[in-house]
Amino acid sequence: MSKVDLDRIDRKILHELMRDATIPVAQLAERVGLSQTPCWKRVQKLETAGIIMGRVAIVDPAQIGLGLRVFVEIEAPDHSREWRAEFRAAIAEFPQIVEVHRMAGDVDYLLKVAVADMTAFDDFYLQLTRRLPCRNVTSKFSMEVIRDTTLWPIDTVTA
């Protein structure tokens, strides 16, 4: 996918949609200084370009029984194409894994895991380590979420 040049209006649209994707087009258009049709066409362009990847409801994990967040660091036993393919296949089997990052530094991968409690995490951990050979697996438990946002710091001021 080629990079799309975003002007200030596109960035304002993105900012408003990141704040609330349910905003009516008329209100969105007013906030960004456009009429409805051009605003809607820009939204469609942003979706087609893959910049807007989807629209979702943001749910409080604790309210749906997923009160424990764990960051799991994984060190690969090797960096072969085969192990990476096995890793991708393995993580696809675990809906508890809500984010996966390939890292630079001491840790190869960082997983964000959402589970109900310590018992559920222990079950997840045992299943994961049986399923995937790793050199090292380290778990770090979130004690409190201070900030968790979907609002990326996009520049809405400069042209």
Side-chain angles (χ1 to χ4, degrees):
M1 174 173 54
S2 62
K3 182 179 179 293
V4 175
D5 288 325
L6 301 175
D7 65 15
R8 186 174 51 81
I9 299 296
D10 289 330
R11 295 190 308 269
K12 281 184 172 183
I13 289 170
L14 292 171
H15 176 79
E16 293 300 329
L17 290 175
M18 285 188 288
R19 288 181 55 211
D20 181 4
T22 66
I23 187 173
V25 174
Q27 192 175 356
L28 176 62
E30 183 179 314
R31 287 187 185 178
V32 302
L34 291 176
S35 60
Q36 288 185 44
T37 300
C39 182
W40 179 244
K41 286 183 179 180
R42 282 179 179 247
V43 170
Q44 289 177 315
K45 176 190 82 169
L46 294 166
E47 288 175 336
T48 300
I51 295 167
I52 297 175
M53 301 185 315
R55 300 181 201 193
V56 299
I58 299 171
V59 176
D60 180 350
Q63 296 291 329
I64 59 169
L66 299 172
L68 183 62
R69 294 184 199 183
V70 185
F71 295 90
V72 178
E73 299 173 343
I74 294 180
E75 292 180 46
D78 62 66
H79 297 282
S80 67
R81 180 175 295 159
E82 294 78 19
W83 188 89
R84 288 192 311 269
E86 184 66 20
F87 174 76
R88 287 180 183 271
I91 62 171
E93 296 172 14
F94 293 95
Q96 303 94 322
I97 302 172
V98 296
E99 286 185 33
V100 179
H101 301 266
R102 187 166 59 88
M103 306 296 289
D106 297 336
V107 175
D108 296 312
Y109 296 92
L110 179 66
L111 285 53
K112 181 178 175 183
V113 177
V115 291
D117 52 28
M118 188 60 76
T119 301
F121 179 73
D122 188 45
D123 182 53
F124 163 82
Y125 176 87
L126 293 172
Q127 288 180 45
L128 178 68
T129 55
R130 276 193 288 260
R131 171 67 176 82
L132 184 68
C134 298
R135 180 167 21 131
N136 190 32
V137 179
T138 303
S139 303
K140 298 186 177 185
F141 298 89
S142 174
M143 301 298 290
E144 177 185 12
V145 178
I146 306 296
R147 184 174 184 173
D148 185 5
T149 183
T150 60
L151 188 58
W152 295 104
I154 191 167
D155 177 7
T156 60
V157 178
T158 58

